[in-house]
């Protein structure tokens, strides 16, 4: 460092050359201006700049929080609407099913009644028909008996030459018919 | 003159103002750069935020970034109670940062923080703020700072002595760290840049030889810009840590 002093021109009139950061001659000026600059800066920062930037940041945070809350509200609303829609849909579906079941039951009941009435009627007709058939059969049987007795009488007369008694012929026919 | 690495720290009187108690008071190049710093910070923090835009532009973003950077620094070291010192720490950080960075300006730059008187004044301001606020806020409990709890009684006197010495040496380390970093950085830069000029005078061979110091100068410039920011940050965070002692004494 010694050689650096060899080519230094005389600095702004400060007497003997010293290392500038340790030159006490300059301390007064530096301190005065440091105090002025620092105090001015402190006042400007604390009174204007920082409250302003702080309020800007706060406003932005509030705005974001507000927007998020708004978005959440809209989301909740749409979810509520969705739930209401689905509930209405489920209700309608339930009602439709109830109506369908009721209608089905009613129709089935009617069909059953009709079927029973028809069955009863058919049964009656069947019974009547059976009675008619039985009547017809009985009368036919009587006719058969008469014809059989006549035929038996005639056959026996041809075979033995004499007419058997009507009672014996009738008994024989009855036996044959039963057998 | 250009090769003298010390000349850059010379305080030049731009115009004298008078004499107070044998001390000459003048508007100097140091004062000029302090003024430029104040104007620069005001442009950044006040002019750039005048629009109060919800969606900030570049300059307003930078102002908000500075605000939140310092606010986070305080909250992480001194808690939310430390926020009462926010304007103080913010002013210190921005002022030192601007002074450091403006000192890096080529040709006309002057590093105000390369003068011990400036850094010492700022460090003492912090030191006395800690003491005055600590006593006013905590009363005698402030002295618990020097008496860590859970220490066996027979080594307590030694610990208290060490604590007091370390407390008293704070303004020294606080101020010398910033001063020495800025001073050494600027001297190193000047020396390497001086090599370039010296070697360049030797003709073509010298030009080739000058490539190495030129590269060093470029790399050192980048490093010094980092140091300019880093030392402002270190100065501010130490301020926060010391203020934390005033707010929460007792370890």
């Amino acid at each position: 460092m010694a050689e650096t002093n060899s080519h230094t021109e005389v600095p702004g009139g400060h007497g003997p050359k010293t290392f500038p950061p340790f030159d006490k001659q300059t301390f007064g000026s530096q301190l005065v201006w440091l105090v002025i600059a620092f105090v001015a800066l402190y006042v400007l920062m604390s009174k204007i700049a920082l409250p302003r930037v702080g309020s800007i940041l706060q406003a932005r945070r509030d705005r974001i929080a507000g927007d998020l809350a708004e978005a959440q509200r809209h989301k909740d609303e749409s979810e509520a609407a969705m739930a209401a829609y689905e509930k209405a849909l489920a209700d309608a579906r339930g009602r439709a099913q109830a109506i369908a079941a009721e209608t089905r039951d009613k129709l089935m009941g009617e069909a059953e009644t009709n079927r029973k009435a028809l069955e009863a009627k058919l049964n009656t007709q069947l019974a009547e028909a059976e009675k008619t058939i039985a009547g017809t059969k009985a009368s036919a049987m009587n006719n058969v008996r008469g014809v059989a007795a006549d035929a038996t009488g005639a056959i026996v007369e041809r075979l033995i030459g004499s007419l058997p008694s009507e009672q014996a012929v009738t008994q024989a026919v009855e036996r044959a018919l039963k057998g | 003159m250009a090769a003298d690495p010390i000349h850059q720290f010379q305080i030049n009187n731009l115009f004298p103002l008078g004499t107070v108690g044998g001390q000459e008071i003048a508007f100097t190049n140091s004062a000029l750069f302090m003024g430029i710093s104040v104007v620069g910070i005001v442009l950044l923090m006040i002019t750039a935020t005048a629009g109060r835009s919800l969606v900030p532009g570049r300059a307003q973003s930078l102002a908000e970034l500075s605000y939140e950077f310092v606010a986070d620094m305080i909250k992480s070291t001194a808690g939310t109670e430390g926020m009462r010192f926010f304007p103080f720490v913010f002013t210190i950080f921005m002022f030192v940062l601007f002074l450091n960075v403006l000192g890096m300006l080529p040709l006309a730059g002057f590093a105000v923080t390369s003068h011990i008187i400036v850094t010492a004044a700022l460090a003492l301001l912090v030191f006395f703020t800690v003491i005055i606020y600590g006593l006013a806020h905590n009363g005698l409990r402030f002295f618990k700072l020097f008496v860590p709890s859970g220490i066996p009684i027979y080594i307590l006197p030694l610990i208290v002595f060490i604590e007091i010495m370390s407390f008293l040496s704070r303004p020294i380390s606080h101020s010398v760290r910033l001063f020495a970093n800025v001073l050494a950085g600027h001297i190193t830069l000047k020396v390497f840049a001086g090599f370039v000029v010296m070697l360049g005078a030797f003709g073509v061979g010298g030009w080739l030889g000058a490539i190495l110091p030129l590269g060093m100068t470029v790399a050192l410039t980048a490093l010094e810009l980092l140091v300019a920011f880093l030392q402002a940050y270190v100065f501010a965070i130490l301020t926060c840590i010391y203020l934390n002692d005033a707010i929460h004494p007792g370890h």
Side-chain angles (χ1 to χ4, degrees):
Chain A
M1 224 174 271
E3 62 155 12
T4 58
N5 282 339
S6 61
H7 49 71
T8 320
E9 50 275 73
V10 180
H14 281 311
K17 170 76 184 164
T18 49
F19 185 51
F22 298 143
D23 182 359
K24 291 193 184 61
Q25 286 296 311
T26 66
F27 284 5
S29 301
Q30 292 198 66
L31 283 177
V32 166
W33 290 109
L34 177 64
V35 169
I36 292 172
F38 192 85
V39 169
L41 193 60
Y42 182 84
V43 170
L44 287 169
M45 291 300 111
S46 62
K47 297 288 176 231
I48 304 176
L50 296 178
R52 182 186 290 173
V53 177
S55 74
I56 292 171
L57 292 174
Q58 189 60 45
R60 185 172 310 139
R61 261 195 292 276
D62 290 351
R63 174 71 183 271
I64 289 171
D67 285 358
L68 280 179
E70 181 83 346
Q72 185 64 41
R73 200 173 58 73
H74 284 310
K75 187 160 171 274
D76 289 349
E77 268 175 17
S78 74
E79 269 170 6
M82 187 72 191
Y85 162 75
E86 267 169 8
K87 188 170 169 298
L89 197 65
D91 283 356
R93 195 171 284 142
R95 216 159 36 233
Q97 268 169 2
I99 291 169
E102 195 185 311
T103 312
R104 195 172 56 231
D105 287 353
K106 202 172 90 188
L107 290 178
M108 267 169 74
E110 273 174 13
E112 187 74 4
T113 321
N114 287 347
R115 194 172 61 80
K116 279 197 179 132
L118 197 60
E119 256 173 22
K121 197 169 132 200
L122 285 175
N123 282 343
T124 324
Q125 282 174 354
L126 198 61
E128 270 171 19
E130 271 171 1
K131 217 182 281 169
T132 316
I133 290 166
T136 313
K137 200 175 164 188
S139 66
M141 278 313 247
N142 282 341
N143 292 345
V144 168
R145 195 173 279 123
V147 173
D150 286 352
T152 308
I155 292 165
V156 170
E157 190 183 11
R158 198 70 175 263
L159 286 174
I160 62 171
S162 68
L163 193 68
S165 71
E166 200 172 316
Q167 196 184 351
V169 171
T170 311
Q171 275 172 358
V173 169
E174 282 296 327
R175 255 197 323 271
L177 282 172
K178 269 178 191 154
Chain B
M1 167 191 147
D4 179 2
I6 303 302
H7 181 265
Q8 59 177 324
F9 303 115
Q10 189 64 52
I11 300 271
N12 296 318
N13 291 354
L14 299 180
F15 51 88
L17 295 171
T19 324
V20 178
Q23 275 274 11
E24 189 185 16
I25 304 299
F27 188 79
T28 62
N29 51 352
S30 169
L32 177 66
F33 273 84
M34 289 183 200
I36 294 173
S37 287
V38 172
V39 171
I41 297 166
V42 166
L43 282 177
L44 173 65
M45 296 306 298
I46 295 179
T47 314
T49 58
R52 296 167 184 269
S53 319
L54 197 64
V55 179
R58 288 182 200 175
Q60 192 186 320
S61 277
L62 202 58
E64 291 171 6
L65 199 72
S66 316
Y67 181 99
E68 295 196 310
F69 180 73
V70 178
D72 287 346
M73 192 198 303
I74 297 175
K75 280 180 196 148
S76 64
T77 50
T80 40
E81 283 173 76
M83 285 305 281
R84 74 186 57 187
F85 289 108
F86 181 48
F88 181 64
V89 177
F90 187 84
T91 306
I92 285 184
F93 174 70
M94 292 305 274
F95 193 47
V96 174
L97 178 65
F98 269 68
L99 291 179
N100 285 352
V101 173
L102 285 172
M104 289 300 297
L105 279 178
L107 300 176
F110 176 82
V112 177
T113 43
S114 68
H115 280 254
I116 185 76
I117 186 70
V118 173
T119 62
L122 289 173
L124 285 170
L125 176 64
V126 173
F127 183 71
F128 286 113
T129 305
V130 167
I131 292 178
I132 293 168
Y133 180 79
L135 285 173
H137 183 65
N138 303 295
L140 292 177
R141 279 189 299 126
F142 177 63
F143 293 107
K144 278 206 293 189
L145 184 61
F146 306 120
V147 190
S149 54
I151 300 287
I153 192 76
Y154 52 91
I155 59 163
L156 199 58
L158 180 65
I159 297 292
V160 169
F161 176 74
I162 293 173
E163 289 283 346
I164 290 174
M165 288 316 288
S166 78
F167 183 81
L168 292 179
S169 63
R170 274 176 182 180
I172 302 170
S173 62
H174 200 188
S175 59
V176 170
R177 183 178 295 109
L178 174 60
F179 155 71
N181 268 287
V182 176
L183 183 80
H186 280 78
I187 290 178
T188 319
L189 258 184
K190 196 79 169 186
V191 167
F192 276 100
F195 284 159
V196 179
V197 177
M198 255 158 54
L199 289 168
F202 294 137
V204 179
W207 296 351
L208 290 174
I211 290 174
L212 195 63
L214 181 64
M216 280 297 289
T217 309
V218 172
L220 278 172
T221 305
L223 179 70
E224 285 310 313
L225 278 172
L226 176 69
V227 168
F229 170 78
L230 208 61
Q231 287 304 320
Y233 175 68
V234 167
F235 198 91
I237 205 153
L238 282 172
T239 302
C240 293
I241 291 169
Y242 297 161
L243 287 170
N244 183 41
D245 284 342
I247 300 164
H248 311 107
H251 291 252

